[in-house]
Amino acid sequence: DSAGHARRPHSSAYHDNIAFVDAGVRDMYERFERFFGHDGRTAYVFTADHGMGDRGAHGDGERANTETPLVAWGAGVARVAAHAADRKST
């Protein structure tokens, strides 16, 4: 969040911070898997509190600021389209 505000979302500092967070998530995932013996019975849910626009803001109501990711994987999670725009509305 602070890297996006200070350096903007497309800066190398922001991308470096994403890599740092990704490594932390990967480490936590691997710890859980080891702890539970890779039993295939664990589900994971990952989200954020808000998005961020190109200017590094998140309170102005811009769509990129109000849409947040929700990623789930693991036991009991069915595979679906990667993004809502990829699905056809009925």
Side-chain angles (χ1 to χ4, degrees), residues 46-72:
F46 192 83
T47 191
D49 59 345
H50 56 74
M52 183 173 288
D54 289 341
R55 297 174 300 176
H58 57 73
D60 60 9
E62 185 180 317
R63 186 176 183 169
N65 303 334
T66 58
E67 288 186 345
T68 57
L70 176 64
V71 180

Side-chain angles (χ1 to χ4, degrees), residues 9-75:
H10 299 290
S11 68
S12 60
Y14 186 74
H15 287 272
D16 290 347
N17 190 258
I18 290 172
F20 177 78
V21 171
D22 283 352
V25 171
R26 184 179 308 108
D27 179 59
M28 192 173 359
Y29 165 78
E30 290 170 354
R31 287 172 186 252
F32 271 91
E33 289 297 308
R34 280 194 307 272
F35 182 83
F36 291 108
H38 303 276
D39 65 1
R41 296 178 57 192
T42 305
Y44 300 89
V45 178
F46 192 83
T47 191
D49 59 345
H50 56 74
M52 183 173 288
D54 289 341
R55 297 174 300 176
H58 57 73
D60 60 9
E62 185 180 317
R63 186 176 183 169
N65 303 334
T66 58
E67 288 186 345
T68 57
L70 176 64
V71 180
W73 71 96

